[in-house]
Amino acid sequence: MSDIPFAPVILGDEPGSFPHSVLAERHPAIIRQVREAFPYGPAQHRALDALLASCTEGVVEPLPADAHDRDRWEEWGAGAYTGRSWFKIPWLWSESYFYRQLLEAVGYFGTGPWQGVDPFRPFKLAELDSPETDEELAALDALSADDQDRALLHGSLWGNRADLGFRLSTGDAGPADAAPGLVADDSAALWALLPPSGAGTLCLIADNAGRELIPDLLLIAHLLERGRIARAVLHVKPYPYYVSDATTADVLDALRKLTGAQGAAVEYGSILWSAMTDGRLVLRAHPFSSAPLPFADLPADLRAELATATLTIVKGDLNYRRLVGDRLWPPTTPFADVTSHFPGPVAALRTLKSDVITGLTPTTEATLTATEPQTWRTSGTHALIQVRA
């Protein structure tokens, strides 16, 4: 990677920037939403109020001395960032630590009755049970065999617009009206890595639950059914994260949604249920999945596992930032160069909801900058499929 131009790490200290708006506006909105989602008691209200004051006007506070993962967060950089402004440290780290502290405030990791209660669960279930989800499942019945590859891949891609944290800050109640063309499309290279009668393993690093996770599961079921893969490993978060990021419980909720549906949806649900019971579909919830670090810092055990995959699909905006590095790359920086650290073939499926972007042609960058100079990177109305074989 020595030939890659220098790109600064993204911070949140520039007023008017997208990272600054997340720290100054989205995080307070999320605290308010969480506070109202459950009848939390006075102690939790005080803790949430303290977190609100800390993340908007204060500094990064350490985890409690008895926190089960305090040592892990120290290894991940807490020692360097404690006592500093949330806005003046790497944005990726600041965002991730906010969610860890939010779980601390509501007692998720405590020993009391709120232990293990997902503070984002009401939002996730409302989306999963929405009419829009039912309509998307019903649309499966109209797919012909020839359409399934492209439709299910694009369903997984564009499902990334169903991001609850993104909507909490934008006020958007659903996906954008327009569905523009992709800013990068390496889908042919992706399918080349997953040929018919394949016998390899697909790793899919999931992003959001609900209306994004269901298309991810449908894609996995399709690949298993068509024999393009023999096995799939679905990587989810070990605890609630970034409002809507998928956990094991969210996978089970999505699977129940499919198996309780009708038509093609229930058939896909049956495929997934069987695959989980016989080991062809395996869940992973590695601690590093919730780390505030780029994938260049993968721990040895996870690196070794991903090295054996026929293909790893990295879903969503956050995982893209972790894959290429949360830096202000020139948009034409080759995707293959910034992912050369990854231990095996990798594909990114992502709708654009943050400033990071690589792998664009000069023409595409110029067109986007000319037509949407302020919004194309962050509006969630553009997407990409990028592959490094």
Side-chain angles (χ1 to χ4, degrees):
M1 297 177 62
S2 58
D3 296 332
I4 298 177
F6 171 77
V9 172
I10 294 177
L11 308 179
D13 59 348
E14 182 181 345
S17 69
F18 183 71
H20 189 277
S21 72
V22 169
L23 297 176
E25 300 169 20
R26 181 185 297 184
H27 287 179
I30 289 170
I31 290 175
R32 289 191 292 271
Q33 291 277 344
V34 166
R35 184 188 178 105
E36 296 169 1
F38 289 101
Y40 289 124
Q44 289 153 311
H45 285 168
R46 287 192 295 271
L48 289 169
D49 290 343
L51 177 59
L52 178 61
S54 167
C55 70
T56 55
E57 301 175 359
V59 297
V60 174
E61 301 287 349
L63 290 173
D66 59 352
H68 75 283
D69 56 350
R70 181 176 171 125
D71 289 346
R72 181 178 296 147
W73 277 92
E74 288 292 326
E75 294 173 4
W76 288 345
Y81 300 133
T82 297
R84 297 174 60 182
S85 167
W86 293 79
F87 294 84
K88 295 184 179 296
I89 61 177
W91 182 43
L92 176 63
W93 202 97
S94 185
E95 269 201 295
S96 300
Y97 194 66
F98 166 79
Y99 287 99
R100 174 59 185 84
Q101 287 285 41
L102 180 61
L103 293 182
E104 192 68 35
V106 298
Y108 182 87
F109 294 113
T111 57
W114 292 96
Q115 183 183 39
V117 176
D118 183 347
F120 312 124
R121 184 168 173 78
F123 316 133
K124 294 175 177 178
L125 291 180
E127 181 186 88
L128 194 62
D129 295 332
S130 68
E132 291 83 1
T133 301
D134 293 334
E135 291 169 6
E136 289 162 1
L137 292 181
L140 294 171
D141 296 337
L143 287 181
S144 69
D146 293 337
D147 293 335
Q148 287 178 350
D149 277 1
R150 183 182 185 280
L152 293 175
L153 178 64
H154 279 249
S156 179
L157 168 66
W158 287 107
N160 184 229
R161 285 188 295 191
D163 179 331
L164 296 170
F166 187 71
R167 281 192 241 147
L168 283 175
S169 61
T170 62
D172 183 13
D177 293 333
L182 303 181
V183 299
D185 185 4
D186 295 341
S187 53
L190 185 151
W191 291 119
L193 290 166
L194 300 173
S197 303
T201 295
L202 171 75
C203 288
L204 192 151
I205 300 178
D207 190 37
N208 296 314
R211 285 175 58 202
E212 180 181 353
L213 182 59
I214 281 184
D216 294 344
L217 291 171
L218 294 173
L219 178 62
I220 289 172
H222 173 70
L223 296 174
L224 287 169
E225 182 189 31
R226 289 296 180 91
R228 287 183 176 270
I229 57 173
R231 181 173 176 267
V233 181
L234 180 61
H235 289 260
V236 297
K237 300 298 189 293
Y239 50 77
Y241 195 60
Y242 278 70
V243 182
S244 53
D245 279 27
T247 65
T248 298
D250 299 319
V251 174
L252 299 179
D253 286 338
L255 190 55
R256 291 190 188 100
K257 179 72 175 181
L258 289 172
T259 56
Q262 298 177 343
V266 72
E267 295 175 10
Y268 282 117
S270 178
I271 292 168
L272 293 163
W273 191 282
S274 296
M276 288 189 71
T277 59
D278 65 24
R280 288 176 296 128
L281 172 56
V282 177
L283 301 184
R284 292 277 190 271
H286 196 286
F288 188 79
S289 293
S290 295
L293 303 174
F295 289 158
D297 296 335
L298 285 169
D301 61 333
L302 192 52
R303 177 173 290 275
E305 179 179 338
L306 296 174
T308 66
T310 304
L311 174 66
T312 297
I313 293 178
V314 173
K315 280 296 309 293
D317 198 79
L318 172 61
N319 285 327
Y320 187 87
R321 291 162 57 194
R322 297 184 71 191
L323 176 64
V324 305
D326 202 32
R327 295 173 176 270
L328 285 174
W329 299 109
T332 55
T333 304
F335 177 74
D337 288 355
V338 293
T339 58
S340 62
H341 61 83
F342 202 80
V346 63
L349 303 185
R350 175 224 183 181
T351 53
L352 277 59
K353 292 180 290 190
S354 68
D355 292 310
V356 178
I357 185 69
T358 67
L360 298 188
T361 66
T363 299
T364 299
E365 181 194 5
T367 299
L368 290 167
T369 302
T371 56
E372 304 174 53
Q374 305 300 321
T375 62
W376 68 268
R377 292 175 183 252
T378 60
S379 64
T381 58
H382 296 281
L384 58 78
I385 301 172
Q386 293 177 323
V387 175
R388 194 220 71 207

